[in-house]
Amino acid sequence: MEKEKKIINRKNKEKARGLLKSYYGIQEKPKIKKVTRNPSDINSIAFDSNQYIKKAKKDYNMQALLKENNKLTSETKQLDSEMKGLIYDNYRKFINANDSIQNMRKEIENIDTEMNSLFDKVKNITKTSSEINNSLETSREKIHKLNNVNLLLKKLQFILELPARLNHCINQNPPQYSQAVFYYTRTEKLLKKYKDISGFSKIDEECQEIIKEISKKIKINDTTKSMKESSINIGLLIGLHFPPVQLSKEYSSYALIHLKDILTQNRITNESSEEQIKKIDKLNEEFLNELNLFIASYSSYFLKQEKNEQTNVLYTANLNENERIAANNKLMEIVEELCTEYLNIISKVITLSQNSNEIKETAYSHSLSIFKSTHSHINVLDALQKITTLNEKVLNNTIEWITNIADDLFNDCINKLFEMYYDEIDKNYSNNFETLIKKSEEFLINEITGKIVPKLNKITKEDIKELDLVLNNEVLVYTSINKSLRNFWNNIFDRITKYSSELSYRNKISPKLLLYVQFCERLRINTINAIYNLYIQELYKDIKEDEIKEKESDLASPTTGDIFSKEKEALSDISSTIVECQKLIQTLLNRYTQVVGNNLIYIAKNSFQEKLQSNKSDQISSFWIIILKQLEMYCIDINKIIYTNISKPVDTVSVESSPIKSKMIQAQYNNPYLLQNSTISSTYSSFMNPYINNDHNIMSNIDRLFTERIEYYGNVELNRINIKTNIINILLKGIIEYVRLFSFTKEDYSQIQLDTEVIKTILWNFVEDPKIFDNILEDLKTSVRVRCSEENLKKEDFGDKIQNIVTSLGFKNF
């Protein structure tokens, strides 16, 4: 038991010792590891020379012993030399330390003497100061009283001299009304306080007369005076306690008339560009500064709520809440009216500049100078910016102007494109369509990258830096330019669409529509992407470098980020524009097949004879020859303009499951020639079919044409075979419906059989799905057969007659 207690006490003592060492920062000595004692090791503490010599004699020969002896001798001498050096250094340090201690001892003795002397001197100074302070106490009180009396005498002297001072201010040239009012307001309370004293009452009466005279001479409704002078006068009248509500009304009326006079004097008429710029500079200098001064002074006088609120005027009107609200509303009404008139003048000048006969670059420079002047003036007028949205409106006008510049550049490009390559295509018919499309594509790229983008670069990189308000809102510039580029493509598409919608089936269809199709295909494949990439690279490259530098210095701003969002927006426009271009191609193809097909139907109607039988038994009906000749001309245009000639393999399945029907069901766009009453658009509802008469029953038959078996009409694809197929289908279905209006004989039925066989032979290899083509021709024969009044109709075999007729016709360009 006792043993356990001892162990516990020992542990407690060790723990306490450890805590004390930790508190006082005493580090424990590291435990020395036990080293094996080796008597033969010369560096060991257990070295034994006798054992070392015995071991050396045993291990080494004579030569090795001599070598080891020389080595030990050398090391011994070296150690002796080092020991002597250490002894010398330690001795020298000891002597220096002893000298330093002696010197310190002498200095400490002198310090004690000096401290005692200094203490005695401070004691004497304190005593002397106390004696002087006590002796001057009485005099100090007298001086304080005299000083108060002196101040009172000065005030009294000022009051006594006040009438003379006021008269002096009035008699100066020009009169110093401000100084006079200032003198009076300083003493007004004191005069009222002591007005019962005879001397003070007389001074007060004299001052009141002078102030009344001053009040009559202070005017605020004189429009010939500057805003600064009227602003000072309104403050003086407030200081003289004139009714503040009446003063606010008079001041606002004066400001409205005065500032409108400035606008009227600086209206722009038919001056030259240089004169207009000078006039705008003058207008900005006079009108904006005067308006800013009016807003600042009016706000300080009538709209400040607290007396201790910081203001730049001496006097403020103490309006109640309702009066202050009314004064604020009046101010906003006046400012809004004036800003509207001012903006109208600026807009008129910009419009005159843009519509002038000057070179566009000169007109642009002229407008830029006007906006630069306007921006620089507004940017430094704090009161104007604080209470109005004039800066935002000028900014919006500037952005609109930049947008108009961009729109003009793009519209000029569009006009040149169509004038040079497409507008005269009907008059100057050219066979080299591929070259024309290629040149128009090259023109578009060169015009935008070589002319438009450099101009936009100048606007975004140089010109807007001169416009203070735009500089911090440059993201809006990029937004407007991106919008202009989108509008550029839309305008091209709209112009082509308009041409397409104005085509008439009554005339031969120009190849221009096919040229537009192939041109749009080139835009979709290459041009749109190439132009956007160059546009983004040139317009955003410098900003990208600046963005990288700002990120490296951690100074990237939200504005820069917004600009890069516009770059992403421009990138996203590529895909959307290509999609719109694809939609336009589809619309144009559908429209082309529609108008060409209906043109052929129109020709068929005009040349159709009630009796199909021809005069010769080895010839097809005459109306087919006219139709085939015109169809051949259209096919020549298609072969020259449309690059692709893809023909799908013939399907052996039924018509109901044909690829045409599948495409029709999955089509994303309404086929323009499917004139169904429920889905027809307004554009095509007015399109007149050539075989429609005024008879309501006939109309019903035609409607049935476009509601039955619609599997024949899918969206047209951009290849020669598909375009031709759709045209032929429309033609044949139109003829099928037209023949239902007539009655036929047995001979007519025989003739239509011959006609269909010849047509099949001529056009068989020029349609996409011969099976569907064959079905349509069978429908044509059926329509004629059911309208025959005779019976016993049979299918005839024409033998070699078909080939002879085909050879004689000589059609090869389908």
Side-chain angles (χ1 to χ4, degrees):
M1 193 72 177
E2 293 180 359
K3 188 176 182 180
E4 291 179 357
K5 288 182 179 180
K6 290 181 179 179
I7 292 172
I8 292 171
N9 291 333
R10 186 168 63 253
K11 288 182 177 180
N12 291 336
K13 289 180 180 179
E14 290 177 355
K15 184 177 180 181
R17 189 181 296 108
L19 292 172
L20 287 171
K21 287 182 177 180
S22 176
Y23 178 77
Y24 288 106
I26 301 174
Q27 298 180 353
E28 293 186 359
K29 295 181 178 179
K31 295 181 179 179
I32 301 173
K33 295 182 179 180
K34 292 184 178 181
V35 182
T36 306
R37 293 175 175 271
N38 186 2
S40 61
D41 185 2
I42 196 170
N43 293 320
S44 174
I45 59 175
F47 175 69
D48 189 344
S49 59
N50 293 328
Q51 290 187 15
Y52 177 76
I53 292 172
K54 288 178 182 181
K55 186 174 183 300
K57 287 179 180 180
K58 184 179 178 181
D59 295 340
Y60 301 117
N61 56 22
M62 183 57 68
Q63 185 176 1
L65 287 172
L66 290 173
K67 186 176 180 180
E68 186 69 19
N69 180 60
N70 293 334
K71 178 182 176 184
L72 292 173
T73 302
S74 175
E75 289 179 352
T76 303
K77 290 180 180 179
Q78 184 177 356
L79 289 172
D80 287 342
S81 176
E82 291 176 356
M83 181 64 73
K84 289 178 182 178
L86 289 173
I87 291 171
Y88 175 76
D89 289 341
N90 288 335
Y91 181 72
R92 181 168 54 80
K93 291 177 182 177
F94 174 76
I95 292 173
N96 290 337
N98 186 52
D99 293 340
S100 298
I101 292 170
Q102 293 296 330
N103 292 333
M104 289 175 64
R105 184 177 298 166
K106 292 179 181 179
E107 291 177 358
I108 288 172
E109 291 177 355
N110 294 334
I111 287 174
D112 289 340
T113 304
E114 290 178 0
M115 287 294 293
N116 291 331
S117 175
L118 182 61
F119 179 74
D120 292 339
K121 291 178 180 178
V122 170
K123 197 173 182 180
N124 291 332
I125 291 171
T126 304
K127 182 179 179 181
T128 305
S129 176
S130 179
E131 292 175 354
I132 293 172
N133 189 45
N134 292 333
S135 64
L136 293 176
E137 184 68 26
T138 305
S139 299
R140 186 181 293 110
E141 292 179 359
K142 292 180 180 179
I143 291 171
H144 183 68
K145 290 179 180 179
L146 291 174
N147 187 45
N148 290 336
V149 172
N150 183 50
L151 292 174
L152 187 60
L153 290 173
K154 286 183 177 179
K155 290 181 180 179
L156 182 60
Q157 182 68 26
F158 184 84
I159 292 174
L160 294 174
E161 295 175 354
L162 182 58
R165 289 175 181 271
L166 295 178
N167 286 321
H168 177 71
C169 292
I170 294 174
N171 294 328
Q172 287 188 7
N173 189 17
Q176 300 296 318
Y177 298 133
S178 299
Q179 190 67 36
V181 173
F182 176 72
Y183 288 154
Y184 177 74
T185 54
R186 282 186 61 188
T187 58
E188 183 181 13
K189 292 182 180 179
L190 191 60
L191 287 172
K192 288 182 179 180
K193 184 177 180 180
Y194 298 105
K195 64 180 180 179
D196 295 335
I197 302 175
S198 60
F200 281 91
S201 62
K202 186 177 180 181
I203 294 173
D204 184 44
E205 291 175 0
E206 292 180 9
C207 292
Q208 289 289 347
E209 291 296 327
I210 298 172
I211 290 299
K212 286 180 181 180
E213 183 181 349
I214 293 175
S215 300
K216 293 177 181 179
K217 294 181 179 180
I218 296 176
K219 296 181 179 180
I220 59 172
N221 55 0
D222 187 356
T223 56
T224 60
K225 296 183 179 297
S226 66
M227 184 63 67
K228 182 178 180 180
E229 187 174 353
S230 294
S231 175
I232 294 173
N233 290 343
I234 200 73
L236 298 179
L237 294 177
I238 291 173
L240 296 176
H241 309 295
F242 276 68
V245 174
Q246 184 64 27
L247 288 177
S248 68
K249 292 179 180 179
E250 292 182 6
Y251 189 36
S252 58
S253 299
Y254 152 78
L256 181 62
I257 297 172
H258 173 68
L259 292 170
K260 278 194 172 184
D261 286 344
I262 296 177
L263 292 174
T264 303
Q265 293 168 9
N266 291 279
R267 288 192 182 278
I268 307 299
T269 52
N270 294 321
E271 294 90 346
S272 63
S273 297
E274 292 77 10
E275 291 296 325
Q276 289 179 5
I277 293 174
K278 290 179 181 179
K279 225 169 185 180
I280 290 296
D281 285 338
K282 183 181 178 183
L283 174 66
N284 291 332
E285 183 68 30
E286 293 182 2
F287 174 77
L288 293 179
N289 288 335
E290 292 282 88
L291 179 60
N292 185 75
L293 178 58
F294 166 65
I295 294 172
S297 59
Y298 189 94
S299 300
S300 298
Y301 288 139
F302 303 107
L303 303 182
K304 297 296 181 182
Q305 298 184 13
E306 302 294 336
K307 291 184 178 180
N308 57 356
E309 190 172 351
Q310 187 175 1
T311 179
N312 57 351
V313 296
L314 293 175
Y315 315 103
T316 56
N318 295 321
L319 300 177
N320 59 39
E321 185 66 22
N322 293 332
E323 292 171 342
R324 191 161 45 248
I325 292 174
N328 183 67
N329 292 338
K330 186 64 176 178
L331 173 65
M332 298 304 297
E333 179 185 341
I334 292 173
V335 171
E336 181 67 23
E337 181 179 351
L338 291 170
C339 289
T340 301
E341 289 194 26
Y342 167 76
L343 290 173
N344 289 338
I345 293 175
I346 298 297
S347 299
K348 182 181 178 181
V349 178
I350 297 299
T351 303
L352 288 173
S353 175
Q354 293 176 337
N355 296 336
S356 65
N357 296 325
E358 296 178 328
I359 301 173
K360 287 190 176 181
E361 192 63 32
T362 304
Y364 172 80
S365 177
H366 174 210
S367 300
L368 180 63
S369 299
I370 292 173
F371 278 116
K372 182 179 177 182
S373 172
T374 305
H375 281 244
S376 61
H377 279 85
I378 293 176
N379 195 52
V380 296
L381 302 176
D382 295 333
L384 188 65
Q385 294 189 66
K386 184 177 179 180
I387 200 172
T388 71
T389 58
L390 183 62
N391 55 340
E392 296 179 10
K393 292 178 179 178
V394 171
L395 173 62
N396 292 335
N397 287 350
T398 308
I399 299 298
E400 182 182 357
W401 168 70
I402 293 175
T403 304
N404 291 337
I405 296 297
D407 287 342
D408 287 344
L409 292 171
F410 285 120
N411 289 334
D412 285 346
C413 179
I414 294 174
N415 293 333
K416 289 179 181 178
L417 171 70
F418 286 97
E419 287 173 4
M420 293 172 63
Y421 299 100
Y422 294 104
D423 285 353
E424 301 297 324
I425 193 67
D426 295 329
K427 298 179 181 178
N428 303 319
Y429 192 85
S430 173
N431 292 327
N432 198 357
F433 295 123
E434 186 174 355
T435 302
L436 184 145
I437 293 171
K438 184 178 179 181
K439 285 184 176 180
S440 63
E441 180 189 15
E442 291 174 351
F443 166 80
L444 203 60
I445 294 175
N446 294 335
E447 188 76 4
I448 291 178
T449 58
K451 180 179 178 181
I452 297 178
V453 170
K455 181 64 178 178
L456 297 179
N457 243 333
K458 183 177 183 299
I459 293 174
T460 56
K461 304 294 190 305
E462 299 177 16
D463 295 343
I464 65 171
K465 292 183 179 179
E466 300 179 10
L467 306 176
D468 302 312
L469 298 179
V470 179
L471 188 59
N472 295 326
N473 297 276
E474 55 184 331
V475 64
L476 298 176
V477 177
Y478 288 88
T479 300
S480 66
I481 292 176
N482 287 349
K483 182 179 178 182
S484 295
L485 183 55
R486 287 196 300 273
N487 291 336
F488 166 72
W489 296 114
N490 292 333
N491 290 337
I492 290 179
F493 299 159
D494 290 345
R495 189 158 178 171
I496 294 174
T497 303
K498 182 181 179 182
Y499 170 80
S500 169
S501 63
E502 292 175 350
L503 289 176
S504 171
Y505 67 88
R506 296 179 181 273
N507 304 315
K508 180 181 181 296
I509 309 305
S510 167
K512 185 190 295 187
L513 190 57
L514 285 177
L515 284 171
Y516 284 148
V517 170
Q518 198 61 58
F519 173 65
C520 291
E521 177 67 5
R522 291 298 303 163
L523 293 182
R524 183 186 70 84
I525 294 174
N526 178 60
T527 311
I528 292 173
N529 189 67
I531 288 175
Y532 264 108
N533 286 334
L534 289 168
Y535 164 83
I536 293 170
Q537 180 183 355
E538 291 299 318
L539 215 61
Y540 295 95
K541 63 179 180 180
D542 293 337
I543 300 178
K544 189 172 183 181
E545 295 173 358
D546 295 339
E547 169 74 359
I548 294 172
K549 293 178 181 178
E550 289 181 355
K551 285 184 176 179
E552 290 176 353
S553 59
D554 296 330
L555 294 175
S557 63
T559 305
T560 308
D562 288 340
I563 291 175
F564 274 91
S565 71
K566 296 307 169 187
E567 179 183 0
K568 294 178 181 178
E569 179 184 293
L571 286 170
S572 67
D573 286 345
I574 297 176
S575 58
S576 62
T577 304
I578 290 175
V579 169
E580 291 300 318
C581 188
Q582 179 63 47
K583 290 181 181 180
L584 176 62
I585 292 171
Q586 188 65 73
T587 301
L588 296 179
L589 286 171
N590 292 344
R591 179 63 176 163
Y592 180 78
T593 56
Q594 176 202 13
V595 292
V596 169
N598 283 291
N599 176 253
L600 294 173
I601 295 173
Y602 178 72
I603 293 173
K605 174 188 172 183
N606 291 336
S607 58
F608 189 81
Q609 298 176 352
E610 294 186 8
K611 297 296 181 181
L612 294 177
Q613 186 179 13
S614 62
N615 298 326
K616 299 179 180 180
S617 60
D618 58 349
Q619 184 174 336
I620 62 173
S621 302
S622 58
F623 79 94
W624 281 113
I625 298 175
I626 299 173
I627 292 172
L628 289 174
K629 286 182 178 180
Q630 187 59 57
L631 177 60
E632 183 181 34
M633 298 303 296
Y634 287 132
C635 289
I636 291 173
D637 291 342
I638 294 171
N639 292 336
K640 287 181 179 180
I641 298 173
I642 303 302
Y643 301 162
T644 53
N645 187 26
I646 302 170
S647 180
K648 296 187 177 180
V650 177
D651 197 347
T652 58
V653 298
S654 64
V655 173
E656 285 74 18
S657 60
S658 68
I660 297 293
K661 182 176 181 180
S662 300
K663 286 189 296 178
M664 183 278 303
I665 295 172
Q666 299 174 1
Q668 296 181 4
Y669 319 108
N670 290 329
N671 196 330
Y673 46 80
L674 297 181
L675 303 180
Q676 302 175 23
N677 293 333
S678 59
T679 60
I680 186 169
S681 66
S682 61
T683 303
Y684 297 105
S685 61
S686 61
F687 184 83
M688 297 300 295
N689 288 286
Y691 43 80
I692 295 180
N693 293 330
N694 294 326
D695 194 324
H696 183 269
N697 293 328
I698 297 176
M699 179 64 74
S700 299
N701 291 332
I702 301 304
D703 287 342
R704 182 160 49 81
L705 162 66
F706 296 104
T707 56
E708 291 182 352
R709 305 189 66 177
I710 60 174
E711 67 270 12
Y712 293 129
Y713 306 108
N715 274 319
V716 186
E717 298 177 3
L718 186 57
N719 66 75
R720 298 170 185 170
I721 298 297
N722 190 265
I723 295 172
K724 296 173 186 177
T725 297
N726 280 275
I727 293 173
I728 292 170
N729 287 349
I730 293 174
L731 167 65
L732 294 178
K733 290 296 288 185
I735 293 176
I736 289 171
E737 293 302 319
Y738 190 65
V739 298
R740 292 176 181 173
L741 304 177
F742 304 96
S743 297
F744 300 101
T745 64
K746 183 178 180 180
E747 290 77 13
D748 292 330
Y749 179 63
S750 175
Q751 182 67 41
I752 201 67
Q753 290 186 71
L754 176 64
D755 292 348
T756 54
E757 292 300 322
V758 172
I759 296 299
K760 183 188 300 182
T761 304
I762 293 175
L763 300 180
W764 183 271
N765 293 325
F766 303 100
V767 294
E768 191 170 41
D769 192 337
K771 186 166 188 156
I772 296 177
F773 177 59
D774 190 37
N775 289 337
I776 297 177
L777 291 176
E778 288 298 323
D779 286 346
L780 177 58
K781 289 189 289 186
T782 302
S783 295
V784 174
R785 184 180 62 187
V786 297
R787 285 162 179 77
C788 286
S789 57
E790 303 177 17
E791 298 181 355
N792 300 322
L793 301 176
K794 62 179 181 178
K795 182 177 181 180
E796 298 186 18
D797 183 10
F798 299 100
D800 296 336
K801 184 185 294 187
I802 302 298
Q803 189 61 43
N804 293 333
I805 295 174
V806 171
T807 303
S808 65
L809 290 175
F811 293 114
K812 299 179 180 179
N813 295 306
F814 292 105

